[in-house]
Amino acid sequence: MTARKGSSKESKGKVVRRKRREMKVKTVEEAKVGVFLSDCGGQIAKILDFEALTNFVKTVPGVALVARGSEFWRGEGLKTIVDAVKTKKINRVVVAETIPKISEIAIAKAVEEAGLNPHLVEVLDLKDHCAWPHRNTPREATEKAKAMLLAAIEKAKLLEPVEKAEFPALKSILVIGGGIAGMQAAEDLADMGFQVHLIEKEPFLGGLAAKAVRFFPTDDCAICIQSPATDLKTVTQTSRKCVYRSGFSEIPNLSVLTNAKVVKVEGGPGNFKVTVERKPRYVDEKKCVACDLCTSVCPVEVPDEYNAKLIKRKAIYINKPLVYPPAYAIDAKACKFHECAKCVEVCPTKAVNLDQKTEHVTLNVGSIIVATGFREYDPSVIKEYHYGEYPDVITHLELARMLDAFGPTGGVPVKPSDRKPAKRIVFVQCVGSRDRRWNPYCSSICCMISLKHATLIKEAYPDADVTICYIDIRTTGREHEYYYEKAREMGVKFVKGRPSEIIHDPATNTLIVEVEDELLRRLLELEADLVVLATAMVPSEDAKELAQILGIELDQDGFFKEYNAKLRPTETKRRGIFICGGAVFPKDAPTASLHAHSAAVKAAKFLMNGKIVKDLKVAVVNEDYCGNCQFCPVTCPYNAITLEPKGDGHFVAKVSELICEGCGVCVGTCPVGAIELRHLKPSQISAQIKALLSINGTSKPLVLAFSCSECGHAAIDSSGMGMMSYPANVRVLRVPCTGIIQVQHILEAFKAGAQGVMVVGCKPDGCHYEVGSQKAQKKVEMAKTLLQACGIEPERLEMFNLVFIEGDKFAEAAKAVTERVERLGLLQLA
Ligand code: SF4
Ligand code: SF4
């Protein structure tokens, strides 16, 4: 087990003081609870006996006021609460209200304006958690409502104010990756007024898009972006522009560093200190006028990787005309440096500097966007296709270079072996993808790339014989199916089958593709001048290293993992770090561009105020108890905990108030109870356990259900909303995440009278706090073992993983657990 030690250097939040009255609440005043009972517009008055509830609440110590109404979260009802806080000096507010989440927000806002800390409010749902599911047993429902109200009041009495803190946030952003997504995000943010640093590991911007030449489905040039708003010449004329002619480099608050990579990141959200290593270019970008004199004298020639090694370039080179930056670069692996120095002599602007050294640049930024793209899989590992062995077996990117008019063959597809035009071309789909030996996933864009290249060839050379061997052709995007139809109409042939072998006939210098046509059920031997492999698209080479430096996760395929694929597709688990484009998964240009816009908006939203404001609903460590066990730092799903030295050789856990999400997973992990949540103390959990189990009022044994505030609670809500019945002996205690639950909470419930205990959380792979549900399951297993050792049936305890739409499953589970504990008989604790 390893834990981060003292690496947190993030800025400390400045606590925003609320009105001083709260301090009195905490230190001097006794809790004066106001209880506001809503019958939800009369909806539940026929089920719950509100007279009995009112009389009951009045008897609870600490209750200073009870009010009844139809709704308390708006209008006159809300005014009643505000008035009670202002004039009757109520300092804890308990509201039984419908739609608790919305109610809670409105009530908390109102009480704050009235001068009370908004976290001294407790809202409970008597409709969906009591009246509706128990409508057939109104008397039992009323007794359960009493228990729920008592639990809310007892918790409210123990509530403590939670402060708000402000953390400074720099309005500057680092974008890593100068491909289409990185450039688009950088341009968006610079246009919005942020200071943007765009870094690219290669000497030139453009990434894969620059090499790919054209994009489907429009067949237009790949390397265009939405024009910068700051480019006055273009903004009124067109919505997109070639990046080389877009004014991109002239956006005032955008700086571009090429040959650069991130080597270290310190600090935290809003204040990252990033160390960037910049390899020498050996040519001063500001002085170089791209006159090309240097290449004419340079004696060194090497295969040009940018152009699929089909031609050679000099040791000093530029990718192609109009590339950014428009300055030459020296290939350090090829250059003879001072042995030669001919370029130095010939350069008219003295731009060449062979003594340039690697530099380290420090960038202070508020957030980071990762747009490092993807790359082609190296198919040479797939022995049956002989890539790297037969020169005429190439990849799509290599074909793209041939189809570029600026490319090595001037736009003509040729056989690399003899440079003769390729007339018979076979494309092989899913090379290294959808294949468990290499990459199990579908790379999603390779079918369209093959269709694009096939149609481009047929357009230029109608007599060319073009065949695509496929497993299935996937054309799921808008206009993509028309693209497929167009290819068929142009005479592109399709063979359903994955080729088993590519053979080279040396006598004719012809390739033979062996494939079984699955539709016609016959073996084919397709003769080809050129075989193009539609390879898998895989994560960029440095993805793993960069993820480690940034402290963010990769998915099972090695791409950067988003926080939530559906709702937070450009965020990562580390606040302030965003991802977009092909770094997340292979994408076509429109989708990468869309993703980049989204990441830019998220980053802008994060920093736009120049500060991050948050309620300090976070974990706190009691240093006197912390035993330096290192459990919590490795357990926290957000890496919010570091170990700080105490000076005596010991370390204590320290929670970052900025990063902590307040889930409580660490609380459930700490073996000595040294860490707790500000907004849910152990005493509040115990008080609720006792209160919920102090009144039964039914003929059935009491069951306590610990539920998380997310999917678990939503499932229980939906059970009530859907009028699904379950017995009133089942009581619910809400916690932020089931990960907070400790074995002792479960034992406490049994001790307080529960005959059965349920733990209701998210699905293990859908936990809102990543690991909470899994941790809870482990705690349940441990508690079962302990129960068994004490002679108590472990079946009395069970965990359920539900989602919102599974209210019926909660109702079934509540019934099943009740019946089970009834069968087991009364639990006798010594
Ligand atoms: S110094 Fe290097 S880049 Fe310059 S001309 Fe000589 S080999 Fe070429
Ligand atoms: S409450 Fe959750 S996010 Fe905060 S430190 Fe504990 S485990 Fe981490």
Side-chain angles (χ1 to χ4, degrees), residues 301-428:
E301 281 198 331
V302 288
D304 182 3
E305 284 185 349
Y306 182 81
N307 281 312
K309 297 186 182 169
L310 288 164
I311 51 172
K312 293 195 167 166
R313 63 154 165 81
K314 296 292 181 72
I316 189 163
Y317 70 104
I318 195 163
N319 270 358
K320 63 175 171 181
L322 294 172
V323 74
Y324 186 84
Y328 281 62
I330 286 180
D331 176 351
K333 285 193 204 122
C335 178
K336 294 176 184 293
F337 289 99
H338 289 289
E339 263 181 48
C340 162
K342 288 195 166 66
C343 53
V344 180
E345 288 163 26
V346 78
C347 179
T349 61
K350 305 284 176 240
V352 182
N353 174 6
L354 298 178
D355 297 319
Q356 247 182 21
K357 298 276 180 295
T358 296
E359 298 174 347
H360 286 93
V361 182
T362 302
L363 301 174
N364 295 305
V365 294
S367 78
I368 298 169
I369 295 180
V370 179
T372 47
F374 56 88
R375 67 187 162 96
E376 270 191 337
Y377 184 63
D378 178 358
S380 57
V381 292
I382 306 169
K383 297 297 174 207
E384 57 269 31
Y385 292 162
H386 303 276
Y387 176 80
E389 185 185 345
Y390 301 159
D392 298 337
V393 177
I394 63 170
T395 67
H396 263 311
L397 213 47
E398 289 164 344
L399 178 63
R401 297 310 310 133
M402 288 189 198
L403 297 179
D404 183 353
F406 283 119
T409 60
V412 182
V414 301
K415 296 171 69 177
S417 60
D418 57 16
R419 301 294 166 127
K420 289 184 183 158
K423 298 270 172 56
R424 299 166 299 173
I425 301 169
V426 174
F427 293 88
V428 181

Side-chain angles (χ1 to χ4, degrees), residues 21 24-25 29-34 36 62 64-65 80-93 114-116:
R21 191 164 168 264
K24 288 186 197 159
V25 168
E29 288 180 348
E30 285 298 310
K32 283 180 73 181
V33 187
F36 302 85
L65 178 148
T80 309
I81 296 177
V82 170
D83 184 54
V85 171
K86 279 186 177 165
T87 63
K88 303 203 171 73
K89 304 297 175 209
I90 291 302
N91 57 28
R92 300 290 189 284
V93 174
L116 187 68

Side-chain angles (χ1 to χ4, degrees), residues 539-782:
S540 60
E541 268 152 356
D542 52 1
K544 201 168 171 188
E545 186 190 350
L546 184 59
Q548 267 168 4
I549 293 169
L550 296 175
I552 59 176
E553 289 182 358
L554 300 176
D555 68 11
Q556 71 277 13
D557 299 316
F559 292 100
F560 287 93
K561 189 176 175 193
E562 63 278 80
Y563 192 99
N564 180 287
K566 182 178 69 170
L567 298 172
R568 298 166 83 170
T570 54
E571 292 171 67
T572 65
K573 244 171 47 183
R574 191 162 181 202
R575 205 176 285 198
I577 300 186
F578 304 89
I579 50 180
C580 66
V584 182
F585 199 68
K587 287 180 178 55
D588 60 15
T591 318
S593 189
L594 192 69
H595 212 209
H597 290 311
S598 166
V601 169
K602 283 285 180 186
K605 195 173 150 195
F606 185 64
L607 300 175
M608 62 193 289
N609 294 324
K611 62 187 177 190
I612 300 161
V613 181
K614 80 176 275 203
D615 283 331
L616 293 181
K617 289 171 78 176
V618 297
V620 278
V621 177
N622 185 331
E623 293 189 4
D624 294 337
Y625 295 154
C626 178
N628 180 24
C629 70
Q630 305 192 7
F631 281 138
C632 63
V634 293
T635 308
C636 173
Y638 304 96
N639 288 327
I641 308 178
T642 49
L643 291 172
E644 301 287 328
K646 270 202 91 177
D648 56 359
H650 284 85
F651 285 81
V652 290
K654 184 168 184 297
V655 178
S656 158
E657 291 181 336
L658 179 55
I659 300 171
C660 175
E661 295 270 335
C663 61
V665 170
C666 53
V667 180
T669 306
C670 181
V672 293
I675 189 162
E676 60 184 36
L677 294 184
R678 281 214 170 98
H679 49 295
L680 185 62
K681 307 254 169 162
S683 58
Q684 292 164 13
I685 296 179
S686 297
Q688 289 180 89
I689 292 173
K690 286 194 191 97
L692 285 166
L693 300 171
S694 64
I695 301 167
N696 187 338
T698 78
S699 57
K700 297 183 184 303
L702 283 167
V703 172
L704 184 70
F706 291 100
S707 120
C708 74
S709 296
E710 305 300 337
C711 297
H713 216 67
I716 300 171
D717 287 347
S718 77
S719 181
M721 287 174 198
M723 300 266 186
M724 291 150 194
S725 295
Y726 57 89
N729 59 308
V730 177
R731 308 289 155 84
V732 178
L733 194 163
R734 180 167 63 144
V735 290
C737 170
T738 50
I740 196 175
I741 293 167
Q742 295 167 324
V743 172
Q744 73 190 53
H745 292 133
I746 295 167
L747 300 181
E748 211 177 320
F750 281 117
K751 218 168 141 197
Q755 301 291 304
V757 171
M758 301 166 70
V759 176
V760 189
C762 310
K763 304 269 183 201
D765 54 0
C767 176
H768 288 240
Y769 297 103
E770 306 288 322
V771 296
S773 210
Q774 294 163 26
K775 299 275 173 207
Q777 184 64 56
K778 287 201 178 116
K779 245 71 76 56
V780 165
E781 298 309 324
M782 282 163 63

